[in-house]
Amino acid sequence: MSASLVLHIVCPTQKRGFAACMSFCFVCLLAYGLASGARNNLSPGVIVFTACALAIVSVAAWALYRNFVFRDELYIAREGELPPIELAFLLDEIRAVRLLPAPEAWTPEAKWEALGFGHGRIEIETATHRYHFGAGLDERAANDALQRINGFCLAQRSVAVAA
């Protein structure tokens, strides 16, 4: 397939320091709590605390993965076979592409984004679903990615994608 018939955008990793700091603090506190609780006794309370600690450590590990390993990837092709990723579309499937406003700092969406669990501000609408792309992109990078998507869609077909 020709390179001009494919748009492939990969976002860089987020590398948010807040998520790394919070994950480190959670793991240290839980390790201390588990060590002191297991040393004293193995009562049902310690077992429940251990189960909760494992849940929190798994969330911390997920936050570290989302911040230092995960890269949001978009693939749009005019025709042909698509790679096995969630955000892979044929050009004819896309109905609209738009940039969502940045969440206000006090909203739950902004807090999840600060931990690295944001979904991205570029919304891609198909006939069946709305997908979000651009996790970790700042305002300028999100606008650049949106312009690349719109430019590709306009170059490949005469119908404009709603922005």
Side-chain angles (χ1 to χ4, degrees), residues 6 27 41 43-44 46 52 67 70 77 110 112 133-134 138 141 149 157:
V6 173
V27 170
N41 63 1
S43 67
V46 172
C52 292
N67 278 281
F70 175 77
W112 282 114
F133 170 71
D138 61 4
I149 295 167
R157 61 181 177 190

Side-chain angles (χ1 to χ4, degrees), residues 82-158:
L82 298 174
I85 60 173
E86 181 183 6
L87 296 177
F89 305 102
L90 290 175
L91 189 62
D92 297 335
E93 296 174 354
I94 298 174
R95 287 190 172 178
V97 179
R98 56 188 148 284
L99 184 64
L100 301 175
E104 298 295 333
W106 59 84
T107 62
E109 292 85 12
K111 293 173 183 171
W112 282 114
E113 189 174 307
L115 288 171
F117 293 117
H119 295 291
R121 294 187 35 222
I122 299 173
E123 183 178 79
I124 301 169
E125 182 179 341
T126 65
T128 59
H129 196 68
R130 290 183 180 171
Y131 298 90
H132 293 270
F133 170 71
L137 294 180
D138 61 4
E139 184 76 26
R140 186 183 57 78
N143 279 322
D144 291 345
L146 180 67
Q147 293 304 320
R148 283 184 62 194
I149 295 167
N150 280 332
F152 177 79
C153 291
L154 288 173
Q156 298 300 320
R157 61 181 177 190
S158 59

Side-chain angles (χ1 to χ4, degrees), residues 14 16 19 23 58-67 109 111-120 135:
Q14 299 181 55
R16 297 183 189 271
S23 297
S58 65
V59 170
W62 182 248
L64 290 174
Y65 167 78
R66 287 281 299 188
N67 278 281
E109 292 85 12
K111 293 173 183 171
W112 282 114
E113 189 174 307
L115 288 171
F117 293 117
H119 295 291

